[in-house]
Amino acid sequence: MGVGSSKSKKPEEKPIKPEDLKILLKISKEKCILYIEKTNSNIDKKKNEISTCLEQNNIDMARAKMNNILKDENDIEIYYLLKPFLEKLIERCTLIVSNTECPPEIKSILDTVLFASTRVEIDELKTFKEKIIKKYGSDYVTNAEKNKDNSVNK
């Protein structure tokens, strides 16, 4: 038995590939588009329902549906704003992978996507975040999620 052979070795982690990040970001972008389309369609239905409620003099129900529409419109705005940041990161995945620290020229973009990843329901962004944690560390991601460096575009 060799020295240290009784200890189990930690398996080496696979390096992050730009293609893997691009796939996650492209799927995330498509999910943004689908969410926007689906929610806009639901808003149209809710507007018709509001009209029916008002015709039936059901003001409270109409008001509740209007509040739902306002919430949906705010959510859509987040997805609209996120989409161009995803597009920019797709173009810069090689830059992420080839640096041990986040390059300053993409910090604001990356931080904004990480910040948004906790506020939208896109599983691929959560996976992307996990890969960034492996690359740049959990402190970096936590700071981005909390916007501690004030680098998130709002």
Side-chain angles (χ1 to χ4, degrees):
M1 239 186 207
V3 177
S5 62
S6 63
K7 292 183 180 179
S8 61
K9 286 188 174 182
K10 183 180 170 185
E12 279 189 36
E13 289 186 26
K14 295 179 184 177
I16 299 171
K17 297 178 186 172
E19 298 80 30
D20 295 341
L21 295 180
K22 283 182 183 181
I23 289 169
L24 291 169
L25 293 169
K26 284 179 180 180
I27 293 171
S28 298
K29 179 184 149 194
E30 289 304 314
K31 285 191 173 183
C32 281
I33 294 167
L34 290 173
Y35 179 86
I36 291 166
E37 290 172 355
K38 178 182 171 188
T39 306
N40 275 330
S41 175
N42 287 338
I43 287 172
D44 290 341
K45 289 177 188 173
K46 287 176 187 174
K47 286 179 180 178
N48 289 333
E49 292 170 5
I50 288 172
S51 176
T52 302
C53 288
L54 292 174
E55 288 170 0
Q56 297 171 351
N57 207 24
N58 192 345
I59 305 301
D60 291 335
M61 182 63 79
R63 184 174 291 125
K65 289 185 182 295
M66 189 63 216
N67 287 335
N68 287 337
I69 287 174
L70 294 173
K71 182 200 172 297
D72 287 346
E73 286 177 342
N74 286 334
D75 290 347
I76 286 174
E77 191 65 27
I78 293 169
Y79 286 84
Y80 268 123
L81 294 171
L82 179 59
K83 200 171 99 155
F85 289 100
L86 294 171
E87 291 168 349
K88 289 176 185 176
L89 273 187
I90 289 167
E91 297 168 3
R92 293 169 175 87
C93 284
T94 303
L95 197 56
I96 292 171
V97 171
S98 62
N99 288 280
T100 56
E101 292 184 7
C102 182
E105 59 268 30
I106 65 165
K107 181 172 176 35
S108 177
I109 299 166
L110 181 58
D111 285 7
T112 301
V113 170
L114 292 170
F115 181 84
S117 73
T118 62
R119 290 154 178 81
V120 296
E121 295 180 27
I122 301 176
D123 292 336
E124 289 75 12
L125 277 184
K126 291 172 184 21
T127 304
F128 175 79
K129 180 176 81 170
E130 291 168 11
K131 291 188 179 293
I132 298 302
I133 288 171
K134 289 178 185 174
K135 183 68 181 171
Y136 297 141
S138 60
D139 286 346
Y140 177 85
V141 172
T142 301
N143 287 341
E145 289 174 337
K146 295 179 179 179
N147 195 20
K148 287 202 172 180
D149 298 332
N150 291 318
S151 59
V152 171
N153 285 305
K154 292 184 178 182

